Amino acid sequence: MSIYVGNLSYQVTEENLKGAFAEYGTVSRVQLPTDRETDRPRGFAFVEMETDTQEQAAIDALDGAEWMGRDLKVNKAKPREERSSSSRGSWGGGNARRNNNRY
């Protein structure tokens, strides 16, 4: 299982996260997604720990805690949902035609 860590400072590094979560157990992996255009962190991360017990201890201790000037949002990560191919390009333009009736 993985932990979602949100509302992170844009100055955070993988090493910062490893250090913060290491207090609660062994950190197996840290993923810190970056913006494709700016290459800066996107404000969230995923942390994996060795056991579920360690992950729960970290969640209990760090959810809502202030860290690097931000109040963290820490919980179990939800599985990534697959995007359907039919929703691509559907940014609400379809309804405009229906609501454009002339009287």
Side-chain angles (χ1 to χ4, degrees):
M1 195 60 165
S2 192
I3 300 171
Y4 167 83
V5 186
N7 200 33
L8 289 172
S9 164
Y10 294 118
Q11 283 73 43
V12 73
T13 66
E14 287 185 21
E15 290 303 315
N16 295 142
L17 285 166
K18 283 180 186 176
F21 280 80
E23 293 183 36
Y24 306 98
T26 304
V27 178
S28 313
R29 182 177 177 199
V30 173
Q31 287 181 287
L32 187 60
T34 56
D35 184 272
R36 291 180 196 165
E37 293 178 20
T38 64
D39 202 37
R40 78 175 193 181
R42 294 177 61 193
F44 66 92
F46 297 97
V47 177
E48 293 178 15
M49 301 186 75
E50 208 166 74
T51 68
D52 289 341
T53 304
Q54 292 173 359
E55 287 184 354
Q56 192 59 53
I59 291 168
D60 292 343
L62 297 174
D63 187 36
E66 184 183 337
W67 189 62
M68 296 181 77
R70 308 288 293 263
D71 292 336
L72 296 179
K73 176 70 177 163
V74 183
N75 54 39
K76 286 201 180 276
K78 296 176 183 168
R80 187 173 184 174
E81 293 181 13
E82 292 297 319
R83 296 181 185 179
S84 81
S85 60
S86 63
S87 67
R88 290 183 182 220
S90 172
W91 289 86
N95 292 336
R97 287 187 207 110
R98 273 187 253 132
N99 295 329
N100 200 12
N101 294 333
R102 294 202 167 110
Y103 295 97

